[in-house]
Amino acid sequence: MKLIIAIVHDEDVHHLIDDLTKDKFMVTKLATTGGFLKAGNTTLLIGVEDDKVDRVIEIIKNNCETRNQMVTSPTPISGAAGVFIPYPIEVKVGGATIFVVDIEKHLKL
Ligand code: 2BA
């Protein structure tokens, strides 16, 4: 058995969960925050048999878009008269960041 940990954009999550549950996958949704942007995102925990991992990844791929987001630079540039001016930079977020982890034991009590 595997645990799929998928970090996705909040805007993609409703369609994604609908498609996963339609295919009878069990999902737990966590509200999380990205360390770099410090903006909200969503982490899904999906426990599946090994032969279903590719299907779950396919569903995630079909539902998660890549987006460009602006962020203020954490290291400001030096302006006139030694004043530090933060500047905006663009980062590409997603579609999804996925980790697939081996599960040693799975219990439901
Ligand atoms: P954030 O940490 O807020 O990162 C948002 C986006 O900013 C990232 O998109 C990446 O394009 C950029 N970024 C992140 N750290 C950076 C850095 N040190 N320097 C320059 N750019 C940086 P994604 O790679 O698609 O990641 C989206 C979210 O997935 C991340 O949000 C984070 O919550 C999670 N994530 C991504 N990789 C991870 C990892 N290796 N471990 C844990 N969480 C991860």
Side-chain angles (χ1 to χ4, degrees), residues 52-69:
K52 302 284 189 217
V53 169
D54 290 344
R55 175 65 188 140
V56 170
I57 290 172
E58 189 188 348
I59 294 172
I60 295 171
K61 232 189 242 174
N62 291 342
N63 281 279
C64 294
E65 264 179 52
T66 300
R67 293 176 175 83
N68 292 323
Q69 252 172 266

Side-chain angles (χ1 to χ4, degrees), residues 9-28:
H9 200 283
D10 289 348
E11 285 173 26
D12 293 329
V13 84
H14 294 294
H15 292 296
L16 174 56
I17 289 180
D18 284 350
D19 282 3
L20 287 168
T21 50
K22 233 182 268 165
D23 266 34
K24 309 261 185 285
F25 293 113
M26 294 187 72
V27 186
T28 296

Side-chain angles (χ1 to χ4, degrees), residues 7 33-39 41 91-97 99:
I7 304 162
T33 304
F36 187 69
L37 293 180
K38 297 182 177 56
N41 54 28
V91 292
K92 203 166 266 190
V93 182
T97 297
F99 301 92

